[in-house]
Amino acid sequence: MHHIREDCIKSRLTERAHLTLAVEKLMERGVPEELIPVHLARVFYVDMDELNAVLEKMRTMKEAREKRPLRAVA
């Protein structure tokens, strides 16, 4: 007879704020951007559309930081 264990139940990761936090933590740990969906999907039920939106936002923010010229001070 099959018993349902609560340990096997995945949580949902669908809120943009929670997805952003998860992506930031994985990036801080050195996980490449293309592997972030894989890592998250192993642990959570992920809203892939929201995750793609978060990854795109992070990508554009990173590109904007890299393109911004340094200003001379004093």
Side-chain angles (χ1 to χ4, degrees):
M1 188 167 161
H2 181 70
H3 295 285
I4 298 175
R5 294 182 50 184
E6 290 186 32
D7 296 339
C8 295
I9 298 173
K10 291 182 179 181
S11 298
R12 293 180 185 268
L13 188 58
T14 57
E15 298 291 327
R16 188 170 292 216
H18 295 146
L19 282 164
T20 301
L21 183 63
V23 168
E24 287 173 349
K25 287 196 178 272
L26 288 172
M27 287 181 154
E28 286 173 4
R29 293 182 180 156
V31 176
E33 183 180 328
E34 61 272 3
L35 292 180
I36 288 175
V38 175
H39 283 272
L40 291 177
R42 286 181 183 158
V43 182
F44 301 102
Y45 289 116
V46 180
D47 183 341
M48 288 298 176
D49 292 329
E50 282 294 320
L51 178 58
N52 285 331
V54 168
L55 289 171
E56 180 63 28
K57 181 180 175 186
M58 300 285 250
R59 194 177 307 117
T60 56
M61 288 173 56
K62 181 181 176 185
E63 289 172 359
R65 270 187 268 130
E66 291 173 354
K67 289 182 181 178
R68 186 173 42 198
L70 297 176
R71 296 185 313 172
V73 179

